[in-house]
Amino acid sequence: MQLFNRLAGTAMVAALAFAPVGASAQQFINVLTGGTSGVYYPLGVALAKIYGENIEGVKTQVQSTKASVENINLIAQGRGEIGFALGDSVKAAVEGDTEAGFQAPVENLRSIAAIYPNYVQIVASRESGVTDLAGLKGKGLSVGAPASGTELNARAIFKAAGMSYDDLGKTEYLPFAESVELIKNRQLDATLQSAGLGVASIRDLASSVPINVVAVPAEIAEKLGAPFQATEIPAGTYDGQDTAVPTLAITNILVTSSEVDEELVYQMTKQLFEHLPDMVAAHNAATAIDPATAAKNLPAPLHPGAERYYKEAGLL
């Protein structure tokens, strides 16, 4: 494997290159993911491997980022060919929501596929006594990296619950793994993480200290509307979680730019669905990826290359 770094000076770049034997380096795919302890990263690594082994003439790189908002901005700047993003972040980008970090509508943003849902997972140390949103008042909570998709989810949920960060005793803006370490060290009470079920960071926390999974009631989803929906975190998802806990879910979307070659996007879409078992092997969240629903209810227009695949497959 050879390391390719076309993003000199960008922080937190983790690159893996995959290329089929004999392929010429005619095209490049930079896969934009998230923190290495989240779900985007292992799925991105799997995707890069699939592409490198099955699309002739490409070389791939995996970039660890602050996730949704950064990924969309990098896509818009032509610094990534495919990225993972939360549906509400994609909607905010298309609308040019300045509070979400988009100074103008991202006009070149295109969808490839709706994939699996992110679950808003608020987890507190059992010692903190926090079991619901109201219980977070006066407590220390990490809401994710600043202006990340997770942090945007946190803002929306607090607003819908009639709360704000001012109600907290302490607000931290940290990636998943760092948030967990602070809870382990009794420097923080809780963490809000928007991720696939079974995310490594929360598994790590639950195996280290007793936890409570904090309930987010269905009426919060009703107030927020699409793309939020009421769901639950099944019992047994994490050590010590004996009952199902209500929460919200938001669909994740693979995005690209209108400037990315149609044939390349067609191949990226096709190879994703033809190698779903490899994605599931990378993380169980990928079991929810369904080609029958992948082109539906997308906040950004479909890229013509993805649209061609869905039409050929009889899905559009």
Side-chain angles (χ1 to χ4, degrees):
M1 286 190 186
Q2 184 178 358
L3 187 67
F4 295 87
N5 183 1
R6 93 177 201 185
L7 299 171
T10 300
M12 293 184 67
V13 173
L16 294 171
F18 306 93
V21 176
S24 58
Q26 296 173 345
Q27 290 181 298
F28 190 86
I29 300 174
N30 187 29
V31 183
L32 305 169
T33 60
T36 55
S37 61
V39 177
Y40 286 176
Y41 186 79
L43 290 182
V45 171
L47 206 53
K49 189 171 188 292
I50 290 165
Y51 292 163
E53 292 178 348
N54 296 282
I55 303 176
E56 188 68 23
V58 304
K59 291 185 178 180
T60 62
Q61 173 175 290
V62 179
Q63 182 176 351
S64 173
T65 69
K66 294 176 182 176
S68 300
V69 175
E70 183 177 6
N71 290 350
I72 291 168
N73 283 323
L74 289 171
I75 289 282
Q77 297 160 16
R79 296 168 65 188
E81 283 65 43
I82 186 170
F84 292 76
L86 277 165
D88 60 326
S89 296
V90 176
K91 183 173 183 285
V94 170
E95 294 173 350
D97 185 339
T98 55
E99 286 190 9
F102 304 104
Q103 299 310 307
V106 182
E107 295 181 354
N108 64 349
L109 189 64
R110 296 292 181 270
S111 299
I112 291 177
I115 43 175
Y116 66 93
N118 255 25
Y119 289 71
V120 173
Q121 300 169 78
I122 306 176
V123 179
S125 65
R126 192 161 296 165
E127 183 180 70
S128 72
V130 177
T131 59
D132 57 19
L133 290 175
L136 287 168
K137 292 180 178 180
K139 302 292 186 179
L141 172 71
S142 176
V143 294
S148 64
T150 289
E151 202 258 315
L152 294 182
N153 290 169
R155 282 191 229 170
I157 289 165
F158 269 64
K159 185 175 181 180
M163 296 170 61
S164 74
Y165 293 168
D166 291 340
D167 292 311
L168 299 170
K170 178 168 64 172
T171 307
E172 296 283 1
Y173 299 84
L174 297 170
F176 295 174
E178 291 177 36
S179 304
V180 163
E181 289 306 312
L182 288 184
I183 296 173
K184 287 183 189 177
N185 296 330
R186 295 182 171 181
Q187 295 174 283
L188 196 64
D189 298 300
T191 175
L192 185 152
Q193 304 192 1
S194 185
L197 289 176
V199 62
S201 51
I202 298 178
R203 287 205 319 269
D204 174 39
L205 177 62
S207 68
S208 303
V209 299
I211 64 164
N212 290 333
V213 180
V214 178
V216 182
E219 53 261 33
I220 298 293
E222 292 167 10
K223 285 182 182 179
L224 290 172
F228 293 91
Q229 58 189 33
T231 187
E232 63 181 22
I233 301 169
T237 299
Y238 299 106
D239 289 350
Q241 182 207 343
D242 299 328
T243 59
V245 178
T247 192
L248 312 183
I250 313 101
T251 299
N252 285 291
I253 297 171
L254 286 172
V255 293
T256 188
S257 165
S258 58
E259 280 94 50
V260 177
D261 179 72
E262 180 179 328
E263 177 63 24
L264 182 60
V265 175
Y266 167 79
Q267 287 295 335
M268 289 195 294
T269 311
K270 177 182 172 70
Q271 298 305 327
L272 163 68
F273 291 113
E274 290 189 352
H275 294 86
L276 280 180
D278 294 336
M279 297 291 284
V280 173
H283 198 286
N284 192 57
T287 56
I289 300 176
D290 182 359
T293 58
K296 297 178 180 177
N297 301 317
L298 295 166
L302 264 179
H303 190 286
E307 184 176 4
R308 174 153 65 96
Y309 168 76
Y310 293 119
K311 285 182 176 177
E312 285 185 6
L315 300 167
L316 270 182

